[in-house]
């Protein structure tokens, strides 16, 4: 049974516009992030003022986590949590890409690959755009699945200085 329709295949190569994170990089966010990853490098703290960075920077993986619902968003992503089939809002693979017309419901994280270019600086705005790179159907032990490959680019500032590129594999089954 073919799960990847012509309509879904037509979305391969679709690239979103740049989307802006809901607020600039904040020192308190970077502090919590470097504490969570247990990397106490001085480049993430005020000691970085005289360094080659010119001030504190965010850890390399931070831009991925800068995109979240703004505090002003009143929607409840856990609204369906009483349903045993509830899978959160993860089925919306990227909020700024069109939804894939695939007739499967379960979603799994298939992994990430990162390529780092630069650090985001405290006070900078972070931007992101996504591209559907590929769709592949596979047969697993529990039945058919579709692998969705999405490339995310992250950049900072009005000049869109590249920060990182992430390639995500999402498994729909």
């Amino acid at each position: 049974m073919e799960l990847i329709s012509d309509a879904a295949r037509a979305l391969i190569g679709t690239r979103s516009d740049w989307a802006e994170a809901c607020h600039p990089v904040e020192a308190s966010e970077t502090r919590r992030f470097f504490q969570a990853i247990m990397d106490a490098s001085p480049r993430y703290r005020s000691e970085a003022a005289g360094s080659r960075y010119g001030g504190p920077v965010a850890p390399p993986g931070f831009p991925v986590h800068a995109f979240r619902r703004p505090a002003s968003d009143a929607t409840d992503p856990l609204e369906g949590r009483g349903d045993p089939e509830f899978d959160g809002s993860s089925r919306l693979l990227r909020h700024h890409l069109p939804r894939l017309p695939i007739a499967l419901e379960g979603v799994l994280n298939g992994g990430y690959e990162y390529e780092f270019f630069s650090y985001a600086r405290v006070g900078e705005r972070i931007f992101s755009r996504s591209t559907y790179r590929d769709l592949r159907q596979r047969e697993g032990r529990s039945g058919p699945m579709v692998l969705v490959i999405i490339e995310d680019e992250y950049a900072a500032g009005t000049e869109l200085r590249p920060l990182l590129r992430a390639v995500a594999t999402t498994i729909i089954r």
Side-chain angles (χ1 to χ4, degrees), residues 39-48 51-53 55-60 119:
D39 181 354
S41 172
R43 70 178 159 259
Y44 308 135
R45 299 191 304 268
S46 59
E47 299 94 272
S51 75
R52 65 181 175 156
Y53 306 108
V57 295
Y119 293 101

Coordinates of all heavy atoms in Angstrom, one line a residue, residues 39-48 51-53 55-60 119:
D39 N 27.4 22.6 30.5 CA 28.6 23.2 29.9 C 28.8 24.6 30.5 O 28.1 25.5 30.1 CB 28.4 23.3 28.4 CG 29.6 23.9 27.6 OD1 30.6 24.3 28.3 OD2 29.6 23.9 26.4
A40 N 29.7 24.7 31.4 CA 30.0 25.9 32.1 C 31.0 26.8 31.5 O 31.7 27.6 32.1 CB 30.4 25.6 33.5
S41 N 31.1 26.8 30.2 CA 32.1 27.6 29.4 C 31.9 29.1 29.7 O 30.7 29.5 29.7 CB 32.0 27.3 27.9 OG 32.8 28.3 27.2
P42 N 32.9 29.8 29.9 CA 32.8 31.3 30.2 C 32.2 32.0 29.0 O 31.6 33.1 29.2 CB 34.2 31.7 30.5 CG 35.1 30.5 30.5 CD 34.3 29.4 30.0
R43 N 32.2 31.5 27.8 CA 31.7 32.2 26.7 C 30.1 32.5 26.8 O 29.6 33.3 26.1 CB 32.0 31.6 25.4 CG 31.3 30.3 25.1 CD 31.7 29.7 23.7 NE 31.5 28.3 23.7 CZ 32.4 27.3 23.8 NH1 33.7 27.7 24.0 NH2 32.1 26.1 23.8
Y44 N 29.5 31.7 27.7 CA 28.0 31.8 27.9 C 27.7 32.8 29.0 O 26.5 33.1 29.3 CB 27.4 30.5 28.2 CG 27.7 29.4 27.2 CD1 28.1 28.1 27.7 CD2 27.7 29.6 25.8 CE1 28.4 27.1 26.8 CE2 28.0 28.6 25.0 CZ 28.4 27.4 25.4 OH 28.7 26.4 24.5
R45 N 28.7 33.4 29.7 CA 28.5 34.2 30.8 C 29.1 35.6 30.6 O 29.7 35.9 29.6 CB 29.1 33.6 32.1 CG 28.4 32.2 32.4 CD 28.8 31.7 33.7 NE 30.2 31.5 34.0 CZ 30.9 30.4 33.7 NH1 30.3 29.4 33.3 NH2 32.2 30.4 34.0
S46 N 28.9 36.5 31.6 CA 29.3 37.9 31.5 C 30.9 38.0 31.3 O 31.4 39.0 30.8 CB 28.9 38.7 32.7 OG 29.4 38.1 33.8
E47 N 31.6 37.0 31.7 CA 33.1 37.0 31.5 C 33.5 37.1 30.1 O 34.6 37.4 29.7 CB 33.7 35.7 32.1 CG 33.6 35.5 33.6 CD 32.4 34.6 33.9 OE1 31.3 35.1 34.0 OE2 32.5 33.4 34.0
A48 N 32.5 36.8 29.2 CA 32.8 36.8 27.7 C 32.9 38.2 27.2 O 33.3 38.4 26.0 CB 31.8 36.0 27.0
S51 N 36.1 38.8 25.5 CA 36.6 37.7 24.6 C 36.3 38.0 23.2 O 35.8 39.1 22.8 CB 35.8 36.5 25.0 OG 34.5 36.5 24.5
R52 N 36.7 37.1 22.3 CA 36.5 37.3 20.9 C 35.0 37.4 20.5 O 34.7 37.8 19.4 CB 37.2 36.2 20.1 CG 36.6 34.8 20.4 CD 37.3 33.7 19.6 NE 36.8 32.4 20.0 CZ 36.9 31.4 19.2 NH1 37.5 31.5 18.0 NH2 36.5 30.2 19.6
Y53 N 34.1 36.9 21.4 CA 32.7 37.0 21.2 C 32.1 38.4 21.5 O 31.0 38.7 21.0 CB 32.0 35.9 22.0 CG 32.6 34.5 21.8 CD1 33.3 33.9 22.8 CD2 32.4 33.9 20.6 CE1 33.8 32.7 22.6 CE2 32.9 32.6 20.4 CZ 33.7 32.0 21.4 OH 34.2 30.8 21.2
G55 N 30.9 39.4 24.2 CA 29.9 39.4 25.2 C 29.4 37.9 25.2 O 29.8 37.1 24.4
P56 N 28.4 37.6 26.1 CA 27.9 36.3 26.2 C 27.2 35.8 25.0 O 26.6 36.6 24.3 CB 26.9 36.4 27.4 CG 27.1 37.7 28.0 CD 27.8 38.6 27.1
V57 N 27.4 34.6 24.7 CA 26.7 33.9 23.5 C 25.9 32.8 24.0 O 26.1 32.2 25.1 CB 27.7 33.5 22.4 CG1 28.4 34.7 21.8 CG2 28.7 32.5 23.0
A58 N 25.0 32.3 23.2 CA 24.1 31.1 23.5 C 24.9 29.9 23.1 O 25.6 29.9 22.1 CB 22.8 31.2 22.8
P59 N 24.7 28.8 23.8 CA 25.3 27.5 23.3 C 24.8 27.2 21.9 O 23.8 27.6 21.4 CB 24.7 26.5 24.3 CG 24.4 27.3 25.6 CD 24.0 28.6 25.0
P60 N 25.6 26.4 21.1 CA 25.3 26.2 19.7 C 23.9 25.6 19.4 O 23.4 26.0 18.4 CB 26.4 25.2 19.3 CG 27.4 25.2 20.4 CD 26.8 25.7 21.6
Y119 N 27.6 31.3 16.9 CA 26.8 31.4 18.1 C 25.8 32.6 18.0 O 26.2 33.7 17.5 CB 27.8 31.7 19.3 CG 28.7 30.6 19.7 CD1 30.0 30.7 19.3 CD2 28.3 29.6 20.4 CE1 30.9 29.7 19.6 CE2 29.2 28.6 20.8 CZ 30.5 28.6 20.4 OH 31.3 27.6 20.7

